Amino acid sequence: MNHLSDIDNLMRGFEQRKYVADRPLATAIYLLLKLQRPLLIEGHAGVGKTETANVLASFLGTELIRLQCYEGLDVNSAVYEWNYQKQLLSIKIQEHAEASIAEKEKHIFSAKFLLERPLLRAISATNASPVLLIDEIDRADEEFEAFLLELLSDFQITIPEMGTIKATHVPYVVLTSNRTRELSDALRRRCLYHWIDYPSLEKELHIVHKKLPQIGRELANQIVQFIQAVRGKNLSKPPGIAETLDWTSALLSLEKTKLDEMTVEETLGCILKSNEDISKLKAENIPSILSQVES
Amino acid sequence: MKKPTQKSMTVRASAGFSDGIVTKTIVQFCRFLRANSFQVGLQETIDALEVARFVTITDREAFQSSLRALLCSSREQYEQFDQLFEQFWGNSTETIHLQREVLSSRIEVPVIGDEHRRALEQASKSQEEGDLTATTGASAEERLRKMDFSEVAASDLPLLEQLCLRLWRQMSKRLTRRYRQYGERGRLDFRRTIRSNLSRGGEPMTLHYKERKRQKINLVVLLDVSGSMDLYSLFLLRFVYALQQYFERVDSFVFSTRLTDISGALRTHQLSNALQMVAQNVESWSGGTRIGKCLAEFNTLHARKLRSRNSLVIIMSDGWDTGEPEALTEQLQTIKRRARKLIWLNPLLGLAEYQPITRGMSAALPFADVFAPAHSLESLLQLEHHLS
């Protein structure tokens, strides 16, 4: 068993899938696979937290099951729900059937009538461990977080009418959070932790070339340097890597080969998503930022 | 989850050390982290040892990354970790020498069995008793919660600010949840349900509910920013900002000799921006106080915002008024008629010897439904009970 080659393998596999993972991230994922503990990834918006889980699923060749959290998310929409309409119809159809009440009841509470939601699907996977992505856990309520904690420690779900379902293939769990709310200590302690920061200049360049190989060296350099400068400007929503890539593809389809003031002003909406930020950056004097950007 | 097997396993470890030295050092490292307010308990320590079984110590980078993923649980810790790791494991020639030895030798280190576990438990227990530093995180929090805003040392400010934001956020979560329960689906509307399901033979496939009317609370906050409130007003302003985020309708004003509407400024999403805008907008910051006049301004210009059944008015002021008390009385009467509740928060109430006998304050007292302190985080959190 050689962990070094495993971690290298992971990095290579991710890279093949156009995701540039640095060594610490690869190590965290290695531990996730090895210890089968959930991995909590935090970081600014648009730095590739969600993408990590996508790529991991593709790397492992398993299914990705995604649960998007939101305020008011409840167990019914996260775990399971009975298909009431179908049950009612079935009762109607069976009205004159010869079966006993108990049999009828058993019938309408069978798997056929169960609507599996992401968490139940993740638990009941039959072939291989899926990757379960619990996205933006900070947006769910604390009650849901407590429920999740329980689920993540024994990987079983009890449905009163059917009994307990225990995972035969424990899913690999990735949680992401944007830190809009403090997560409970209990959940944090249950998880491995990784913080994704904004990438360095070199790493971001690498990502741009990887994702959009048709781009010219000069333009890529300018874009990334400009973005990195913008991140230092204390805006309310600094651009993430997602924005860099959006902007790059926008400039490519406009057939630009070079950044100039006009181009930047016209396409600023690709990287800044609020009016306040846009006017703030304009006030900062775009030409002066551009002049620092060497090609 | 796979349980570690009980058989011992070959782990590369230093030959210069006695048996189990790796285990011991890792345990010490965990303690070291704990002393630096990491939440590293017994379980984490055991996990760290488990990791050391397949990530060899000699591959420093992987070992460091592994422990970081395992033992950190927030960005702050994540950023602190590398330095602590460096501090503990060092990079002295001795370590490098040891590492070389480690590379060239293999010895048996037993996998943690029950005995180890017990010993560890013992160790961490005795350490808890003796180790005071581990609790500093919690006790600092406790201390800051109660501390008067005017006495907070500059060095404590960032911590207090963080704490405030966190607790206010929690408080507002509870508040919004309480309100949401009102708005939950109402009772089943039988008539609509049967009617709309007629085409399906009357089986109630889709259910219709009677909407329950939601009572929206709107909040009006009037914050005194005159000179005498200087030590408190910045914190209180942050508090107003927090309230603003969670109540659907908050109108906020600051006043000293004049009244300024700051609702718009506070509605921008970033706190620092909002504070900056407020600072730019308020002309009379840190001047004298004329509460009566300001409230009159409020009553003529903004009082139409008050709807008597569901408006809460919060006035945050120490009650030092250079105007006539009669003017104040008159204006408060008007407000009182229009609001559901009038809450007066006075930071000076935190002082043991304080008596509300200034002319302004004694004129105002009869009109306040709630008269409460606002000098510390703890006292502001108490407001939760009155906001209904």
Side-chain angles (χ1 to χ4, degrees):
Chain A
M1 188 68 216
N2 188 345
H3 71 272
L4 266 182
S5 64
D6 279 353
I7 294 174
D8 283 340
N9 238 339
L10 264 169
M11 285 173 73
R12 230 173 298 124
F14 271 56
E15 181 115 13
Q16 276 161 14
R17 287 164 183 81
K18 301 191 171 176
Y19 188 96
V20 181
D22 50 19
R23 246 195 131 70
L25 177 60
T27 311
I29 293 171
Y30 169 72
L31 287 181
L32 154 79
L33 299 176
K34 194 81 186 146
L35 297 174
Q36 302 217 332
R37 292 247 308 239
L39 171 63
L40 169 63
I41 303 181
E42 289 191 316
H44 306 283
V47 289
K49 300 187 289 291
T50 305
E51 188 64 9
T52 313
N54 283 329
V55 177
L56 177 62
S58 146
F59 175 77
L60 295 172
T62 70
E63 189 189 1
L64 175 82
I65 298 171
R66 175 173 175 170
L67 174 68
Q68 171 67 50
C69 297
Y70 52 88
E71 203 179 316
L73 173 68
D74 57 4
V75 174
N76 289 345
S77 36
V79 188
Y80 73 90
E81 179 77 293
W82 289 106
N83 188 340
Y84 297 113
Q85 278 90 342
K86 205 170 163 192
Q87 283 179 329
L88 281 169
L89 283 174
S90 170
I91 294 171
K92 258 299 205 213
I93 291 165
Q94 290 191 8
E95 233 166 24
H96 305 293
E98 302 254 313
S100 70
I101 299 284
E103 277 167 3
K104 285 181 184 174
E105 194 177 302
K106 199 165 174 229
H107 176 68
I108 62 163
F109 287 116
S110 60
K112 250 178 31 186
F113 296 89
L114 195 66
L115 296 173
E116 289 191 344
R117 306 287 195 219
L119 293 183
L120 182 58
R121 269 207 297 142
I123 293 283
S124 50
T126 46
N127 297 327
S129 294
V131 172
L132 171 62
L133 167 65
I134 300 173
D135 217 359
E136 306 194 357
I137 173 71
D138 52 330
R139 287 168 64 179
D141 299 327
E142 276 132 45
E143 290 91 339
F144 183 75
E145 198 184 308
F147 167 79
L148 199 61
L149 191 65
E150 198 185 312
L151 181 77
L152 292 182
S153 57
D154 27 320
F155 290 103
Q156 58 179 35
I157 287 171
T158 301
I159 301 173
E161 297 87 353
M162 288 179 77
T164 299
I165 300 173
K166 192 162 174 52
T168 43
H169 299 275
V170 172
Y172 299 114
V173 185
V174 176
L175 300 101
T176 74
S177 157
N178 285 327
R179 304 203 350 142
T180 60
R181 169 174 73 82
E182 209 57 52
L183 302 177
S184 74
D185 280 346
L187 184 68
R188 287 181 176 279
R189 290 181 74 167
R190 182 81 201 95
C191 297
L192 301 166
Y193 183 84
H194 186 78
W195 169 261
I196 302 188
D197 215 333
Y198 289 125
S200 64
L201 185 78
E202 293 73 31
K203 188 180 166 192
E204 194 159 18
L205 262 176
H206 189 53
I207 296 171
V208 168
H209 282 297
K210 199 87 211 167
K211 287 267 189 189
L212 299 158
Q214 70 273 37
I215 194 173
R217 181 166 293 277
E218 185 186 8
L219 183 61
N221 273 338
Q222 284 188 320
I223 290 175
V224 172
Q225 284 185 41
F226 188 86
I227 290 270
Q228 299 246 340
V230 169
R231 281 193 196 122
K233 294 289 179 211
N234 192 22
L235 301 170
S236 68
K237 287 218 162 36
I241 303 170
E243 279 73 25
T244 312
L245 294 172
D246 280 351
W247 196 33
T248 311
S249 4
L251 293 173
L252 280 176
S253 44
L254 291 173
E255 297 181 349
K256 302 283 180 193
T257 48
K258 211 167 161 307
L259 277 189
D260 54 59
E261 195 187 345
M262 267 291 272
T263 315
V264 172
E265 286 212 11
E266 279 166 3
T267 53
L268 212 49
C270 293
I271 52 172
L272 298 179
K273 304 298 166 72
S274 82
N275 192 26
E276 284 129 41
D277 280 352
I278 290 180
S279 30
K280 191 163 176 188
L281 193 72
K282 283 187 178 158
E284 286 269 356
N285 195 352
I286 294 173
S288 87
I289 305 177
L290 273 174
S291 69
Q292 289 159 24
V293 170
E294 43 185 290
S295 48
Chain B
M1 194 175 293
K2 273 178 220 154
K3 284 264 178 304
T5 43
Q6 283 293 329
K7 67 175 196 275
S8 72
M9 191 181 175
T10 313
V11 173
R12 292 168 180 216
S14 162
F17 293 143
S18 66
D19 208 19
I21 188 71
V22 176
T23 311
K24 216 163 154 188
T25 322
I26 291 175
V27 171
Q28 274 168 357
F29 180 59
C30 288
R31 281 189 191 178
F32 175 68
L33 288 180
R34 213 154 68 143
N36 284 286
S37 12
F38 276 56
Q39 286 144 332
V40 178
L42 176 64
Q43 187 56 49
E44 283 76 9
T45 311
I46 292 172
D47 290 339
L49 291 171
E50 165 98 17
V51 164
R53 282 177 50 221
F54 51 82
V55 179
T56 46
I57 296 190
T58 45
D59 176 9
R60 198 182 163 100
E61 200 194 331
F63 183 63
Q64 184 170 351
S65 302
S66 301
L67 288 189
R68 187 172 52 203
L70 194 66
L71 301 174
C72 292
S73 56
S74 70
R75 179 189 181 183
E76 290 70 28
Q77 290 178 351
Y78 199 83
E79 279 164 358
Q80 217 186 337
F81 185 87
D82 287 346
Q83 201 194 343
L84 290 172
F85 187 90
E86 205 60 45
Q87 220 176 333
F88 185 88
W89 299 91
N91 222 343
S92 61
T93 42
E94 196 190 354
T95 350
I96 294 169
H97 175 67
L98 279 176
Q99 281 175 359
R100 214 167 285 141
E101 259 182 56
V102 168
L103 274 174
S104 60
S105 62
R106 298 174 133 234
I107 59 159
E108 297 277 302
V109 173
V111 169
I112 17 164
D114 285 344
E115 260 170 61
H116 268 86
R117 215 171 276 252
R118 234 170 285 132
L120 272 172
E121 255 164 89
Q122 208 63 46
S124 48
K125 246 185 230 145
S126 62
Q127 190 213 350
E128 254 157 38
E129 285 153 17
D131 193 358
L132 285 173
T133 45
T135 61
T136 45
S139 67
E141 205 178 295
E142 206 43 48
R143 183 171 54 85
L144 285 175
R145 270 179 86 122
K146 300 224 162 75
M147 187 176 276
D148 196 295
F149 289 139
S150 61
E151 286 165 9
V152 176
S155 58
D156 278 338
L157 274 180
L159 188 61
L160 179 60
E161 224 163 89
Q162 246 178 22
L163 187 66
C164 284
L165 286 183
R166 204 181 79 218
L167 293 177
W168 286 338
R169 193 152 46 188
Q170 283 169 7
M171 166 178 145
S172 65
K173 271 265 166 197
R174 287 193 298 271
L175 283 170
T176 43
R177 186 163 305 131
R178 201 173 301 156
Y179 289 127
R180 202 173 334 122
Q181 277 165 3
Y182 276 110
E184 220 79 76
R185 299 200 273 206
R187 298 180 24 199
L188 201 58
D189 186 338
F190 283 102
R191 189 195 290 188
R192 276 183 68 206
T193 304
I194 299 287
R195 176 163 293 238
S196 70
N197 287 297
L198 271 182
S199 59
R200 302 184 187 109
E203 290 295 341
M205 298 291 211
T206 39
L207 303 180
H208 293 271
Y209 294 90
K210 286 179 179 160
E211 288 286 318
R212 192 179 285 186
K213 280 240 171 76
R214 263 180 89 173
Q215 272 214 348
K216 283 183 189 163
I217 297 280
N218 76 348
L219 204 60
V220 174
V221 188
L222 295 150
L223 171 62
D224 185 347
V225 291
S226 60
S228 59
M229 288 281 289
D230 261 359
L231 293 169
Y232 299 98
S233 43
L234 260 182
F235 269 101
L236 294 178
L237 191 58
R238 272 157 217 263
F239 182 59
V240 177
Y241 175 80
L243 288 175
Q244 176 104 39
Q245 286 200 301
Y246 309 119
F247 279 85
E248 283 183 51
R249 247 202 104 64
V250 179
D251 289 292
S252 30
F253 302 87
V254 291
F255 67 90
S256 51
T257 52
R258 291 196 46 207
L259 184 81
T260 315
D261 186 347
I262 55 165
S263 317
L266 287 189
R267 229 161 262 150
T268 60
H269 289 297
Q270 228 184 7
L271 178 61
S272 56
N273 284 358
L275 290 177
Q276 219 176 346
M277 277 170 85
V278 169
Q280 283 162 4
N281 282 341
V282 181
E283 298 148 32
S284 47
W285 199 273
S286 302
T289 332
R290 302 197 51 195
I291 307 181
K293 177 179 166 273
C294 292
L295 292 186
E297 219 174 309
F298 172 78
N299 277 331
T300 38
L301 292 176
H302 306 285
R304 67 196 146 69
K305 286 179 180 149
L306 298 180
R307 282 166 297 150
S308 58
R309 310 232 89 228
N310 32 18
S311 290
L312 295 181
V313 177
I314 302 179
I315 298 177
M316 301 182 187
S317 166
D318 55 7
W320 284 106
D321 188 9
T322 50
E324 285 306 308
E326 290 76 28
L328 181 58
T329 315
E330 198 189 313
Q331 298 307 327
L332 283 174
Q333 230 160 13
T334 316
I335 291 180
K336 179 78 176 118
R337 257 205 317 273
R338 289 180 176 152
R340 169 151 125 196
K341 217 185 225 180
L342 175 62
I343 298 171
W344 192 296
L345 299 180
N346 185 340
L348 297 183
L349 213 53
L351 305 171
E353 68 274 22
Y354 175 76
Q355 295 277 328
I357 47 170
T358 57
R359 288 194 311 164
M361 206 58 246
S362 48
L365 261 189
F367 299 99
D369 295 293
V370 178
F371 183 53
H375 62 290
S376 65
L377 178 53
E378 182 93 8
S379 64
L380 289 179
L381 290 171
Q382 290 300 317
L383 188 64
E384 182 180 346
H385 306 299
H386 305 302
L387 291 183
S388 55

